[in-house]
Amino acid sequence: MSELTIEDQYAAELKQSDIDHHTPTAGAMTNHILSNLMVEYVKLNQVKWYVKGANSFGLRTEYDRLIALNTRNFADLADLLLDEAQKPSSTTAELTKYSMLEENGAFKYNDADTMVTATITDFDTENLFVDRAIKLAEKEERPALAAWLVGYRGSNNRNIRQLQAFLGNEARTGLDEEDDDDED
């Protein structure tokens, strides 16, 4: 039996990844979370670098904390995927492909409230993937993965509440509101 080349091994990994993303597994869904963390890292830095106004000093300090937490979560989650015999995305192209967060270079010209609101929305979007990954991890009997994801969900909830407080809002303001068109 001949050994696979490096290129063949990577091609097989990409093929399996495609299969896993079309029939979601806990690993595939968690890879989306990893990808979201990578894009979120860039977006958090964008806010830190460009935020202006009376609250910019405090927001820069808060965003330093969020960036450090994001970096730690990215590394921990990649290690956890490896622990679970999964292959975390390992190139910028792969991470970008699987992220559901969007970037915009013009975003840096927004006011502080708009920037903070966007961060809140990103954390809430990330939670959609976290909730699905938790269910898949429980179904696949991956308790360590499920436990980490539950803790990460709680951390996102805390970050949402604290950023909402900066805006003068309750934790879920604007995030759980139903569409008025549905109430006919």
Side-chain angles (χ1 to χ4, degrees):
M1 210 156 84
S2 66
E3 287 192 37
L4 294 174
T5 67
I6 291 171
E7 290 79 13
D8 291 340
Q9 291 175 54
Y10 184 59
E13 174 188 333
L14 292 177
K15 182 178 179 182
Q16 186 61 51
S17 178
D18 191 49
I19 291 167
D20 290 348
H21 280 88
H22 285 91
T23 307
T25 64
M29 193 58 54
T30 303
N31 223 346
H32 280 293
I33 297 164
L34 188 72
S35 296
N36 286 337
L37 281 164
M38 190 269 308
V39 172
E40 187 68 18
Y41 173 81
V42 174
K43 293 180 79 173
L44 293 169
N45 274 287
Q46 188 181 38
V47 173
K48 178 187 158 193
W49 297 337
Y50 292 104
V51 69
K52 298 198 177 12
N55 294 309
S56 64
F57 289 107
L59 282 173
R60 282 192 190 97
T61 300
E62 177 61 9
Y63 276 75
D64 275 335
R65 184 190 72 78
L66 292 172
I67 291 164
L69 180 60
N70 176 282
T71 303
R72 190 169 50 254
N73 285 335
F74 184 85
D76 290 349
L77 188 54
D79 277 339
L80 184 56
L81 281 168
L82 292 167
D83 295 344
E84 295 283 334
Q86 300 293 306
K87 296 222 182 309
S89 295
S90 59
T91 68
T92 304
E94 290 171 340
L95 289 161
T96 302
K97 177 181 178 181
Y98 295 120
S99 176
M100 297 300 141
L101 302 183
E102 296 179 11
E103 298 174 291
N104 182 342
F107 180 74
K108 65 180 150 273
Y109 298 106
N110 282 299
D111 60 72
D113 285 8
T114 301
M115 291 177 158
V116 170
T117 299
T119 304
I120 292 166
T121 301
D122 284 347
F123 284 136
D124 197 52
T125 298
E126 290 171 22
N127 281 346
L128 298 172
F129 292 90
V130 174
D131 291 347
R132 190 141 185 234
I134 291 167
K135 289 176 186 166
L136 289 167
E138 289 170 346
K139 179 181 172 189
E140 295 172 22
E141 298 181 3
R142 295 178 182 268
L145 180 59
W148 190 93
L149 292 165
V150 167
Y152 177 64
R153 176 64 149 96
S155 175
N156 276 356
N157 289 349
R158 173 74 46 91
N159 291 330
I160 288 169
R161 178 181 60 84
Q162 290 173 336
L163 291 170
Q164 287 277 33
F166 167 80
L167 298 173
N169 296 330
E170 296 297 319
R172 300 298 304 166
T173 300
L175 299 175
D176 293 328
E177 296 173 0
E178 291 182 355
D179 198 20
D180 290 334
D181 296 338
D182 293 341
E183 296 181 23
D184 289 340

